[in-house]
Coordinates of all heavy atoms in Angstrom, one line a residue:
M1 N 0.8 -1.2 0.0 CA 0.0 0.0 0.0 C 0.9 1.2 0.0 O 1.8 1.4 0.8 CB -0.9 0.0 1.2 CG -1.8 1.3 1.3 SD -2.9 1.2 2.8 CE -3.5 2.9 2.7
E2 N 0.6 2.1 -0.9 CA 1.4 3.3 -1.0 C 1.1 4.3 0.1 O -0.1 4.5 0.5 CB 1.1 4.0 -2.3 CG 2.0 5.3 -2.5 CD 2.2 5.6 -4.0 OE1 1.8 4.8 -4.8 OE2 2.8 6.7 -4.2
E3 N 2.1 4.9 0.7 CA 2.0 5.8 1.8 C 1.3 7.1 1.3 O 1.6 7.5 0.1 CB 3.3 6.1 2.4 CG 3.3 7.0 3.6 CD 2.6 6.3 4.8 OE1 3.2 5.5 5.5 OE2 1.4 6.6 4.9
R4 N 0.5 7.7 2.1 CA -0.1 9.0 1.7 C 0.7 10.1 2.4 O 1.3 9.9 3.4 CB -1.6 9.0 2.2 CG -2.5 8.2 1.3 CD -3.8 8.1 1.8 NE -3.9 7.5 3.2 CZ -4.8 7.7 4.1 NH1 -5.8 8.5 3.9 NH2 -4.7 7.1 5.2
Y5 N 0.6 11.2 1.8 CA 1.3 12.4 2.3 C 0.4 13.6 2.4 O -0.6 13.7 1.7 CB 2.4 12.8 1.3 CG 3.5 11.8 1.1 CD1 3.4 10.7 0.3 CD2 4.7 11.9 1.8 CE1 4.4 9.8 0.1 CE2 5.7 11.0 1.7 CZ 5.5 9.9 0.8 OH 6.5 9.0 0.7
Y6 N 0.7 14.4 3.5 CA -0.1 15.6 3.7 C 0.9 16.7 3.7 O 2.1 16.5 4.1 CB -0.9 15.6 5.0 CG -2.1 14.6 4.9 CD1 -1.9 13.3 5.1 CD2 -3.3 15.2 4.7 CE1 -3.0 12.4 5.1 CE2 -4.5 14.3 4.7 CZ -4.3 13.0 4.9 OH -5.4 12.2 4.9
I7 N 0.4 17.9 3.4 CA 1.3 19.1 3.6 C 0.7 20.0 4.7 O -0.5 20.3 4.7 CB 1.4 19.9 2.3 CG1 2.0 19.1 1.2 CG2 2.2 21.2 2.5 CD1 1.8 19.7 -0.2
Y8 N 1.5 20.4 5.6 CA 1.0 21.4 6.6 C 1.6 22.7 6.2 O 2.8 22.9 6.0 CB 1.5 21.0 8.0 CG 1.0 22.0 9.0 CD1 -0.3 21.9 9.4 CD2 1.7 23.0 9.6 CE1 -0.9 22.7 10.3 CE2 1.2 23.9 10.5 CZ -0.1 23.8 10.9 OH -0.7 24.6 11.8
E9 N 0.6 23.6 6.0 CA 1.0 25.0 5.5 C 0.9 25.9 6.8 O -0.2 26.0 7.4 CB 0.0 25.5 4.4 CG 0.3 26.9 4.0 CD -0.7 27.4 3.0 OE1 -1.6 26.7 2.7 OE2 -0.4 28.5 2.4
N10 N 2.0 26.5 7.1 CA 2.0 27.4 8.3 C 1.9 28.9 7.7 O 2.7 29.4 7.0 CB 3.3 27.3 9.0 CG 3.4 28.1 10.3 OD1 3.1 29.3 10.3 ND2 3.6 27.5 11.4
W11 N 0.8 29.5 8.1 CA 0.5 30.8 7.5 C 1.5 31.9 8.1 O 1.8 32.9 7.5 CB -0.9 31.2 7.9 CG -1.9 30.4 7.1 CD1 -1.7 29.9 5.8 CD2 -3.2 30.1 7.4 NE1 -2.8 29.3 5.4 CE2 -3.8 29.4 6.3 CE3 -4.0 30.4 8.5 CZ2 -5.1 28.9 6.4 CZ3 -5.3 29.9 8.6 CH2 -5.8 29.1 7.5
H12 N 1.8 31.7 9.3 CA 2.7 32.7 10.0 C 4.1 32.7 9.3 O 4.7 33.8 9.1 CB 2.8 32.5 11.5 CG 1.5 32.8 12.2 ND1 0.7 33.9 12.0 CD2 0.8 32.0 13.0 CE1 -0.4 33.8 12.7 NE2 -0.4 32.7 13.4
R13 N 4.6 31.5 9.2 CA 6.0 31.5 8.7 C 6.1 31.4 7.2 O 7.2 31.4 6.7 CB 6.7 30.3 9.3 CG 6.8 30.4 10.8 CD 7.5 29.2 11.4 NE 7.6 29.3 12.9 CZ 8.1 28.4 13.6 NH1 8.6 27.3 13.1 NH2 8.2 28.5 14.9
K14 N 4.9 31.3 6.5 CA 4.9 31.1 5.1 C 5.8 30.0 4.6 O 6.7 30.1 3.8 CB 5.3 32.4 4.4 CG 4.3 33.5 4.5 CD 3.0 33.2 3.9 CE 3.1 33.3 2.4 NZ 1.8 33.0 1.8
R15 N 5.5 28.9 5.3 CA 6.3 27.7 4.9 C 5.4 26.5 5.1 O 4.4 26.5 5.7 CB 7.6 27.6 5.8 CG 7.3 27.5 7.2 CD 8.6 27.4 8.0 NE 9.2 26.1 7.7 CZ 10.3 25.6 8.4 NH1 10.8 26.4 9.4 NH2 10.8 24.5 8.1
G16 N 5.9 25.4 4.5 CA 5.1 24.2 4.6 C 6.1 23.0 4.9 O 7.3 23.1 4.7
R17 N 5.5 21.9 5.3 CA 6.2 20.7 5.5 C 5.4 19.5 5.1 O 4.2 19.5 5.4 CB 6.6 20.6 6.9 CG 7.5 19.4 7.2 CD 8.4 19.6 8.3 NE 9.3 18.4 8.5 CZ 10.5 18.4 9.0 NH1 10.9 19.5 9.5 NH2 11.2 17.3 9.1
I18 N 6.0 18.6 4.4 CA 5.3 17.4 4.0 C 5.4 16.4 5.1 O 6.5 16.1 5.7 CB 5.9 16.9 2.7 CG1 5.7 17.9 1.5 CG2 5.3 15.6 2.3 CD1 6.5 17.6 0.3
H19 N 4.3 15.8 5.4 CA 4.2 14.8 6.4 C 3.7 13.5 5.8 O 2.8 13.5 5.0 CB 3.3 15.2 7.6 CG 3.9 16.2 8.4 ND1 4.7 16.0 9.6 CD2 3.9 17.6 8.3 CE1 5.1 17.1 10.1 NE2 4.6 18.1 9.4
L20 N 4.2 12.4 6.4 CA 3.5 11.1 6.1 C 2.2 11.0 6.9 O 2.1 11.5 8.0 CB 4.4 10.0 6.5 CG 5.6 9.7 5.6 CD1 6.6 8.9 6.3 CD2 5.2 9.1 4.3
A21 N 1.2 10.5 6.3 CA -0.1 10.4 6.9 C 0.0 9.6 8.3 O -0.7 9.9 9.2 CB -1.1 9.6 6.0
S22 N 1.0 8.7 8.3 CA 1.1 7.9 9.5 C 1.9 8.5 10.6 O 2.0 8.0 11.7 CB 1.7 6.5 9.1 OG 3.0 6.8 8.5
C23 N 2.5 9.7 10.4 CA 3.3 10.3 11.4 C 2.4 10.9 12.5 O 1.3 11.2 12.3 CB 4.2 11.3 10.8 SG 3.9 13.0 11.2
G24 N 3.0 10.9 13.7 CA 2.2 11.3 14.9 C 1.8 12.8 14.8 O 0.7 13.1 15.3
Y25 N 2.5 13.6 14.1 CA 2.1 15.0 14.0 C 1.0 15.2 13.0 O 0.1 16.0 13.2 CB 3.3 15.9 13.7 CG 3.0 17.4 13.6 CD1 2.9 18.1 14.8 CD2 2.8 18.0 12.5 CE1 2.6 19.4 14.8 CE2 2.5 19.4 12.4 CZ 2.4 20.1 13.6 OH 2.0 21.4 13.6
C26 N 1.1 14.5 11.9 CA 0.2 14.6 10.9 C -1.2 14.0 11.3 O -2.2 14.5 11.1 CB 0.7 13.9 9.6 SG -0.4 14.0 8.2
N27 N -1.1 12.8 11.9 CA -2.3 12.1 12.3 C -3.3 12.0 11.2 O -4.5 12.4 11.4 CB -2.8 12.8 13.6 CG -3.9 12.0 14.3 OD1 -4.0 10.8 14.1 ND2 -4.8 12.7 15.0
D28 N -2.9 11.6 10.1 CA -3.7 11.4 8.9 C -4.4 12.7 8.5 O -5.6 12.7 8.1 CB -4.7 10.3 9.2 CG -5.2 9.6 7.9 OD1 -4.5 9.7 6.9 OD2 -6.2 8.9 7.9
G29 N -3.7 13.8 8.6 CA -4.3 15.1 8.1 C -5.1 15.8 9.2 O -5.5 16.9 8.9
R30 N -5.2 15.2 10.4 CA -5.9 15.9 11.4 C -5.1 16.7 12.4 O -5.6 17.5 13.2 CB -6.8 14.9 12.2 CG -7.9 14.3 11.4 CD -8.8 13.4 12.2 NE -8.1 12.2 12.6 CZ -8.1 11.1 11.9 NH1 -8.7 11.0 10.8 NH2 -7.5 10.0 12.3
G31 N -3.8 16.5 12.3 CA -2.9 17.3 13.1 C -2.7 16.6 14.5 O -3.2 15.6 14.7
P32 N -2.0 17.4 15.3 CA -1.7 16.8 16.7 C -3.0 16.7 17.5 O -4.0 17.2 17.1 CB -0.8 17.9 17.3 CG -0.3 18.7 16.2 CD -1.3 18.6 15.1
Q33 N -2.9 16.0 18.6 CA -4.1 15.8 19.4 C -4.7 17.0 19.8 O -5.9 17.1 19.9 CB -3.7 14.9 20.6 CG -3.4 13.5 20.2 CD -3.3 12.6 21.4 OE1 -3.0 13.0 22.5 NE2 -3.5 11.3 21.2
Q34 N -3.9 18.0 20.2 CA -4.5 19.3 20.5 C -5.1 19.8 19.3 O -4.5 20.0 18.3 CB -3.4 20.3 21.0 CG -2.6 19.8 22.2 CD -1.4 19.1 21.7 OE1 -1.3 18.5 20.6 NE2 -0.4 19.0 22.6
A35 N -6.4 20.1 19.4 CA -7.2 20.6 18.2 C -6.5 21.8 17.6 O -6.4 22.8 18.3 CB -8.6 20.8 18.6
D36 N -6.2 21.8 16.4 CA -5.7 23.0 15.7 C -6.9 23.9 15.4 O -7.8 23.6 14.7 CB -5.0 22.5 14.4 CG -4.2 23.7 13.8 OD1 -4.7 24.9 13.9 OD2 -3.2 23.4 13.2
S37 N -6.8 25.1 15.9 CA -7.8 26.1 15.7 C -7.9 26.6 14.3 O -8.9 27.2 13.9 CB -7.7 27.2 16.7 OG -6.4 27.9 16.4
G38 N -6.9 26.3 13.5 CA -6.9 26.8 12.2 C -6.3 28.2 12.1 O -6.2 28.8 11.0
K39 N -5.8 28.7 13.2 CA -5.2 30.0 13.2 C -3.8 30.0 12.6 O -3.3 31.0 12.1 CB -5.1 30.6 14.6 CG -6.5 30.9 15.1 CD -6.4 31.5 16.6 CE -7.8 31.8 17.1 NZ -7.7 32.2 18.5
N40 N -3.1 28.9 12.8 CA -1.7 28.8 12.5 C -1.4 28.3 11.1 O -0.4 28.5 10.5 CB -1.0 28.0 13.5 CG -0.9 28.6 14.8 OD1 -0.8 29.8 14.9 ND2 -1.1 27.8 15.9
G41 N -2.4 27.5 10.6 CA -2.2 26.9 9.3 C -3.2 25.9 9.0 O -4.2 25.8 9.7
R42 N -3.0 25.2 7.9 CA -4.0 24.2 7.5 C -3.2 23.0 6.8 O -2.1 23.1 6.4 CB -5.0 24.8 6.6 CG -4.4 25.3 5.3 CD -5.5 25.6 4.3 NE -6.1 24.4 3.8 CZ -7.0 24.4 2.8 NH1 -7.3 25.6 2.2 NH2 -7.5 23.3 2.3
W43 N -4.0 21.9 6.8 CA -3.5 20.7 6.2 C -4.0 20.6 4.7 O -5.1 20.9 4.5 CB -3.9 19.5 7.0 CG -3.2 19.4 8.3 CD1 -3.6 19.9 9.5 CD2 -1.9 18.7 8.5 NE1 -2.7 19.6 10.4 CE2 -1.7 18.9 9.9 CE3 -1.0 18.1 7.7 CZ2 -0.5 18.4 10.5 CZ3 0.1 17.6 8.3 CH2 0.4 17.7 9.6
H44 N -3.1 20.2 3.9 CA -3.5 19.9 2.5 C -3.3 18.4 2.2 O -2.3 17.8 2.7 CB -2.7 20.7 1.5 CG -2.8 22.2 1.7 ND1 -3.7 22.9 1.1 CD2 -2.0 23.0 2.4 CE1 -3.5 24.2 1.5 NE2 -2.5 24.3 2.3
G45 N -4.2 17.8 1.6 CA -4.0 16.4 1.2 C -5.2 15.5 1.4 O -6.3 16.1 1.7
P46 N -5.1 14.3 1.3 CA -3.8 13.5 1.0 C -3.4 13.6 -0.4 O -4.2 13.8 -1.3 CB -4.2 12.1 1.5 CG -5.7 12.0 1.1 CD -6.2 13.4 1.4
F47 N -2.1 13.3 -0.6 CA -1.5 13.2 -1.9 C -0.6 12.0 -1.9 O -0.2 11.5 -0.9 CB -0.5 14.4 -2.1 CG -1.1 15.8 -2.0 CD1 -1.0 16.5 -0.8 CD2 -1.9 16.3 -3.0 CE1 -1.5 17.8 -0.7 CE2 -2.4 17.6 -2.9 CZ -2.2 18.3 -1.7
D48 N -0.4 11.5 -3.1 CA 0.7 10.6 -3.2 C 2.0 11.4 -3.3 O 2.0 12.6 -3.3 CB 0.6 9.6 -4.4 CG 0.7 10.3 -5.8 OD1 1.3 11.4 -5.9 OD2 0.0 9.8 -6.7
R49 N 3.2 10.7 -3.3 CA 4.4 11.5 -3.1 C 4.6 12.5 -4.2 O 4.9 13.7 -3.9 CB 5.6 10.5 -3.1 CG 6.9 11.2 -2.8 CD 8.0 10.1 -2.7 NE 9.3 10.8 -2.5 CZ 9.8 11.1 -1.3 NH1 9.1 10.7 -0.2 NH2 11.0 11.7 -1.1
N50 N 4.4 12.1 -5.4 CA 4.7 13.1 -6.5 C 3.7 14.3 -6.4 O 4.2 15.4 -6.6 CB 4.5 12.4 -7.9 CG 5.6 11.4 -8.1 OD1 6.7 11.6 -7.6 ND2 5.4 10.5 -9.0
H51 N 2.5 14.0 -6.1 CA 1.5 15.1 -6.0 C 1.8 16.0 -4.8 O 1.5 17.2 -4.9 CB 0.1 14.6 -6.0 CG -0.4 14.1 -7.4 ND1 -0.4 12.8 -7.8 CD2 -0.9 14.8 -8.4 CE1 -0.8 12.7 -9.0 NE2 -1.1 13.9 -9.4
A52 N 2.3 15.4 -3.8 CA 2.6 16.2 -2.6 C 3.7 17.3 -3.0 O 3.5 18.5 -2.7 CB 3.1 15.4 -1.5
F53 N 4.7 16.9 -3.7 CA 5.8 17.8 -4.0 C 5.3 18.8 -5.1 O 5.6 20.0 -5.0 CB 7.0 17.1 -4.5 CG 7.8 16.5 -3.4 CD1 7.7 15.2 -3.1 CD2 8.6 17.3 -2.6 CE1 8.4 14.6 -2.0 CE2 9.3 16.8 -1.6 CZ 9.2 15.4 -1.3
A54 N 4.4 18.4 -6.0 CA 3.8 19.3 -7.0 C 3.0 20.3 -6.3 O 3.0 21.5 -6.6 CB 3.0 18.5 -8.0
A55 N 2.3 19.9 -5.3 CA 1.4 20.8 -4.5 C 2.2 21.8 -3.8 O 1.8 23.0 -3.7 CB 0.5 20.0 -3.6
V56 N 3.3 21.5 -3.3 CA 4.2 22.4 -2.6 C 4.6 23.6 -3.6 O 4.5 24.7 -3.3 CB 5.5 21.8 -2.1 CG1 6.5 22.8 -1.7 CG2 5.1 20.9 -0.9
E57 N 4.9 23.2 -4.8 CA 5.2 24.1 -5.8 C 4.0 25.0 -6.1 O 4.1 26.3 -6.1 CB 5.6 23.5 -7.1 CG 6.9 22.6 -7.0 CD 8.1 23.5 -6.8 OE1 8.1 24.6 -7.3 OE2 9.1 23.0 -6.3
H58 N 2.8 24.4 -6.2 CA 1.6 25.2 -6.5 C 1.3 26.2 -5.4 O 0.8 27.3 -5.6 CB 0.5 24.2 -6.7 CG -0.8 24.9 -7.0 ND1 -1.1 25.5 -8.2 CD2 -2.0 25.0 -6.3 CE1 -2.3 26.0 -8.2 NE2 -2.9 25.7 -7.0
L59 N 1.5 25.8 -4.2 CA 1.2 26.6 -3.0 C 2.3 27.7 -2.8 O 2.2 28.5 -1.9 CB 1.0 25.7 -1.8 CG -0.2 24.8 -1.8 CD1 -0.1 23.8 -0.7 CD2 -1.5 25.7 -1.6
Q60 N 3.3 27.6 -3.6 CA 4.4 28.6 -3.5 C 5.0 28.6 -2.1 O 5.4 29.6 -1.6 CB 3.9 30.0 -3.9 CG 3.4 30.0 -5.4 CD 3.0 31.4 -5.8 OE1 2.5 32.2 -5.1 NE2 3.3 31.7 -7.1
M61 N 5.2 27.4 -1.6 CA 5.9 27.3 -0.4 C 7.3 26.8 -0.6 O 8.1 26.5 0.3 CB 5.2 26.3 0.6 CG 3.9 26.8 1.0 SD 3.1 25.7 2.2 CE 2.8 24.3 1.2
S62 N 7.7 26.7 -1.9 CA 8.9 26.1 -2.3 C 10.1 26.9 -1.8 O 11.2 26.4 -1.7 CB 9.0 25.9 -3.8 OG 8.9 27.1 -4.5
A63 N 9.9 28.2 -1.6 CA 11.1 29.0 -1.2 C 11.7 28.6 0.2 O 12.9 28.7 0.4 CB 10.7 30.5 -1.0
D64 N 10.8 28.1 1.0 CA 11.3 27.7 2.4 C 11.2 26.2 2.6 O 11.9 25.8 3.6 CB 10.4 28.4 3.4 CG 10.7 29.9 3.4 OD1 11.9 30.3 3.2 OD2 9.8 30.7 3.7
I65 N 10.4 25.5 1.9 CA 10.3 24.1 2.2 C 11.6 23.4 1.8 O 12.3 23.8 0.9 CB 9.1 23.4 1.5 CG1 8.7 22.1 2.2 CG2 9.4 23.2 0.0 CD1 7.4 21.6 1.8
Q66 N 11.9 22.4 2.5 CA 13.0 21.6 2.2 C 12.5 20.3 1.6 O 11.9 19.5 2.2 CB 13.8 21.3 3.5 CG 14.3 22.5 4.1 CD 15.0 22.3 5.5 OE1 15.0 21.1 5.9 NE2 15.5 23.3 6.1
P67 N 12.8 20.1 0.3 CA 12.2 19.0 -0.4 C 12.5 17.6 0.2 O 11.7 16.7 0.0 CB 12.8 19.1 -1.8 CG 13.1 20.5 -2.0 CD 13.6 21.0 -0.6
R68 N 13.6 17.5 0.8 CA 14.0 16.2 1.4 C 13.5 16.1 2.8 O 13.8 15.1 3.5 CB 15.5 16.1 1.4 CG 16.1 16.2 0.0 CD 15.6 15.2 -1.0 NE 16.1 15.3 -2.3 CZ 15.6 14.7 -3.4 NH1 14.6 13.9 -3.3 NH2 16.1 14.9 -4.6
A69 N 12.8 17.1 3.3 CA 12.5 17.2 4.7 C 11.1 16.5 5.1 O 10.5 16.9 6.0 CB 12.5 18.6 5.2
V70 N 10.7 15.6 4.3 CA 9.6 14.8 4.6 C 9.8 14.1 6.0 O 10.9 13.5 6.2 CB 9.2 13.8 3.6 CG1 8.0 12.9 4.0 CG2 8.9 14.4 2.3
C71 N 8.9 14.3 6.9 CA 9.2 13.7 8.2 C 9.2 12.2 8.0 O 8.5 11.6 7.2 CB 8.1 14.1 9.2 SG 6.5 13.3 8.8
N72 N 10.0 11.6 8.8 CA 10.2 10.1 8.6 C 10.5 9.5 10.0 O 11.6 9.3 10.3 CB 11.4 9.8 7.7 CG 11.5 8.4 7.3 OD1 10.5 7.6 7.5 ND2 12.5 8.0 6.7
P73 N 9.4 9.4 10.7 CA 9.6 9.0 12.1 C 10.3 7.6 12.2 O 10.1 6.8 11.4 CB 8.2 8.9 12.7 CG 7.3 9.0 11.5 CD 8.0 9.6 10.4
Ligands
ZN101 ZN1 5.2 14.3 10.2

């Protein structure tokens, strides 16, 4: 089964990070256990790997995102 990816977009820092759906922070796109009020950012996804990186480009977060920085717990 192919892993799914989500992107967390942080509005304050104008940056994003790609997360695996299975990672503890991503929590399948729902974020950490503490409910995210939506003030700090939002989740995009799910994507497969190629689409996740393409979406980063589309969201213009590429200036700050580190393409290799997919979390890998
Ligand atoms: Zn993660």
Side-chain angles (χ1 to χ4, degrees):
M1 177 179 172
E2 181 155 354
E3 187 64 83
R4 287 174 297 156
Y5 294 83
Y6 288 82
I7 301 166
Y8 185 74
E9 178 184 8
N10 185 308
W11 288 331
H12 292 308
R13 296 182 181 176
K14 291 297 286 181
R15 60 181 291 188
R17 179 152 186 155
I18 297 173
H19 287 267
L20 288 164
S22 57
C23 110
Y25 184 77
C26 181
N27 193 22
D28 209 18
R30 290 186 291 272
Q33 287 189 339
Q34 302 90 336
D36 190 325
S37 61
K39 291 178 181 174
N40 294 322
R42 61 170 290 188
W43 290 92
H44 302 271
F47 304 99
D48 66 28
R49 186 179 178 89
N50 288 339
H51 282 98
F53 284 100
V56 167
E57 298 287 338
H58 179 70
L59 292 165
Q60 297 186 325
M61 294 186 293
S62 57
D64 290 326
I65 200 167
Q66 299 174 357
R68 304 299 177 192
V70 176
C71 70
N72 191 10

